[in-house]
Amino acid sequence: MSAHPLPTNDEASAPRSPVAQPLIVRLRNWVGDVTLALPMLQRLADAGFAPVLVGKGWARDLLAGTGWPVHGLPKTTSERVALLRRLRDEARAADPRFRAAPLHALCLPDSFSSALEFRLAGLRALGHAWEGRRLLLGRAVPRPRGVHELAVYWRLGDALLGAPAPLPAAVNLRPTAAQQREAATLRAAHGLPERVIVICPFAGGTWNQQDKTWPGFADFVATRLPTLGLPVVVCPGPGEEDRIAREHFAGARLLPGVNLGVYAALLSRAAAMLSNDTGPAHMAAAVGTPLVSVMGPSDPTLWRPWGPDSRVRVLGGHGRWPDADAVFEAVQRAVATIPLPG
């Protein structure tokens, strides 16, 4: 007997579901950008595309819940072009429509080099007309100014699909079941409950050459957070553990070396997060964690974590840091957003 029985007449005559068309997507290099691009990518998937992603190694863990393949970004131009050519050939073999499609790819970075790599790989990519790269792209569209970064990516989706759509209310980042189990194991190993306050006192990069790290963060964690009676957890990244976390946040429970997918799983069960303007703040908003985002030089209209006001509170910005009393009141409210179990 065949291992795969023949279909019945009804099954044979039933219309087949259309096969999703491959779309090769170059992600940006920052956690916040990748998180904010997620609604647009999900919209494209819902419209019949099959995203094939190329990005930093951490993107595979962060986006594991989507089920989309994520290929690590090689270091050199020649290696990147070779990867794109291989993905091009695989897409052609998987879907005969791919070769004739007006666009094969989506280039989210605005760099000249990223557009050049698509061109050298023989791929027609949609991207922003930026840094003189218009002729390298299959289609170049203006980069919107003065709008939130999520809207910048969303409008690329408008361009690809040929129609605008309302912006989403929230980003939907969902860790996998395996990542949730790993987070539970990690909490158990450190004797932690689900309801913790996660802090992210780090901030990658600068805003207009100004430091994005709240000057009052360490003192706030040492003197104000303990009064809320919940464990405080920090997940330092490479280079942050000894340089910052152990020296300035000794009262917090350190969980170093946590990959981004497990980090997101930890956040999804946390009581609240307090963060600088940095990638994990966007992750927290995306998994629905009550969030207090502290900004100083940054412009919240462009970069605030995306989510409903009931879950996302942004303090400061436009060159002004908030005072500790305002931050404490916001964290109190955030902790009260999710009731105690039982």
Side-chain angles (χ1 to χ4, degrees):
M1 180 180 294
S2 170
H4 301 283
L6 294 174
T8 65
N9 289 338
D10 288 342
E11 290 171 335
S13 60
R16 295 184 178 182
S17 299
V19 176
Q21 181 175 330
L23 181 72
I24 300 171
V25 181
R26 167 73 185 275
L27 300 171
R28 297 197 72 180
N29 296 337
W30 299 94
V31 173
D33 294 88
V34 172
T35 303
L36 293 173
L38 184 55
M40 179 271 292
L41 295 174
Q42 185 60 62
R43 176 186 174 195
L44 297 182
D46 293 342
F49 287 97
V52 179
L53 309 179
V54 178
K56 294 288 189 177
W58 46 257
R60 185 177 294 109
D61 292 319
L62 181 66
L63 301 179
T66 67
W68 304 324
V70 181
H71 300 268
L73 181 68
K75 292 184 177 181
T76 68
T77 297
S78 61
E79 290 172 326
R80 293 176 182 181
V81 172
L83 171 62
L84 292 174
R85 286 174 176 166
R86 176 170 67 81
L87 297 179
R88 176 202 65 189
D89 293 344
E90 291 174 356
R92 287 174 177 176
D95 189 336
R97 297 170 297 176
F98 186 83
R99 186 185 297 270
L103 293 169
H104 306 125
L106 189 57
C107 185
L108 299 186
D110 292 328
S111 62
F112 184 88
S113 60
S114 58
L116 176 63
E117 287 156 9
F118 274 117
R119 181 62 178 266
L120 293 175
L123 290 165
R124 294 186 290 273
L126 169 67
H128 291 127
W130 196 261
E131 292 191 351
R133 62 190 203 149
R134 181 184 296 272
L135 295 178
L136 300 176
L137 295 167
R139 182 182 174 193
V141 296
R143 196 183 207 283
R145 296 180 180 272
V147 301
H148 194 278
E149 198 69 6
L150 182 142
V152 171
Y153 303 129
W154 190 258
R155 291 185 186 179
L156 281 176
D158 290 346
L160 186 64
L161 297 176
L167 291 172
V171 179
N172 185 19
L173 175 65
R174 290 292 172 260
T176 65
Q179 288 168 339
Q180 290 286 9
R181 290 193 297 271
E182 190 171 343
T185 299
L186 187 61
R187 284 192 298 267
H190 289 268
L192 293 168
E194 287 187 344
R195 282 179 55 84
V196 299
I197 297 175
V198 181
I199 62 169
C200 187
F202 320 111
T206 60
W207 179 272
N208 292 334
Q209 299 182 334
Q210 297 179 66
D211 189 359
K212 297 190 297 180
T213 303
W214 179 32
F217 216 128
D219 183 67
F220 186 87
V221 172
T223 62
R224 304 296 292 270
L225 280 191
T227 65
L228 296 177
L230 291 172
V232 177
V233 170
V234 59
C235 298
E240 295 170 340
E241 180 182 352
D242 294 324
R243 182 171 58 88
I244 299 177
R246 293 194 187 279
E247 182 179 352
H248 298 291
F249 299 92
R253 187 71 59 85
L254 265 63
L255 304 182
V258 177
N259 72 53
L260 289 184
V262 176
Y263 195 171
L266 287 168
L267 287 170
S268 71
R269 303 298 180 92
M273 183 183 211
L274 172 64
S275 177
N276 285 316
D277 173 23
T278 191
H282 296 283
M283 290 168 49
V287 297
T289 308
L291 168 68
V292 177
S293 176
V294 180
M295 292 188 170
S298 306
D299 184 348
T301 60
L302 306 180
W303 278 106
R304 75 187 309 273
W306 192 268
D309 291 341
S310 60
R311 291 293 181 103
V312 177
R313 181 79 183 275
V314 177
L315 300 177
H318 300 290
R320 179 183 60 84
W321 291 108
D323 63 56
D325 289 339
V327 175
F328 185 71
E329 179 184 358
V331 175
Q332 278 186 309
R333 291 183 180 181
V335 168
T337 300
I338 300 179
L340 288 167

